[in-house]
Structure formats: C-alpha cells, structure tokens
C-alpha cells in the first residue's frame, strides 16, 4: 500500500490559502476603485435629481 505524502498535501493547502488571499486583496482593491467610476458613469441618476428641483435661474412660483 502506498504511503500518503503529507508534505505534498500541506503544500497544496498552503497554495490554495495564498491564492484565496490574493484574490480577496484584488477584490478589495477593485471594490475601492469602483464607486468613483460608478458615480461619474451614471449621468441618468444626475438628471433625475435635477428634474425634481427647479434650477436656480428659474423663478420659483
């Protein structure tokens, strides 16, 4: 019967943990940069707010 190679298994687990950690850091970095992009890329949301309130140049009745 073949022996179990515990060092190999341990190394594979370490590599998986390292990969997950890197992916998590990458997602955090992307998440931190996305809100700034979303605010400027959504002109429809800005127009909706302008429609509800009168412009300063228009007289309020």
């Amino acid at each position: 019967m073949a022996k179990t190679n515990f060092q190999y298994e341990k190394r594979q687990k370490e590599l998986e943990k390292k990969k997950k950690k890197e992916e998590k850091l990458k997602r955090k970095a992307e998440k931190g940069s996305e809100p700034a992009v979303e605010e400027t890329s959504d002109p429809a949301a800005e127009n909706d707010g302008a429609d509800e309130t009168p412009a300063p140049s228009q007289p309020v009745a």
Side-chain angles (χ1 to χ4, degrees), residues 9-22:
E9 291 177 7
K10 183 178 179 182
R11 178 69 178 148
Q12 293 305 310
K13 286 182 182 181
E14 289 174 354
L15 290 173
E16 285 182 42
K17 285 182 184 180
K18 185 177 179 182
K19 183 178 176 182
K20 283 185 180 182
K21 188 174 182 180
E22 289 175 356

Side-chain angles (χ1 to χ4, degrees), residues 1 4 11 16 20 24 30-33 46 53-54 59:
M1 184 168 200
T4 305
R11 178 69 178 148
E16 285 182 42
K20 283 185 180 182
K24 185 176 181 181
E30 289 175 355
K31 184 178 181 183
S33 64
E46 294 173 10
T53 57

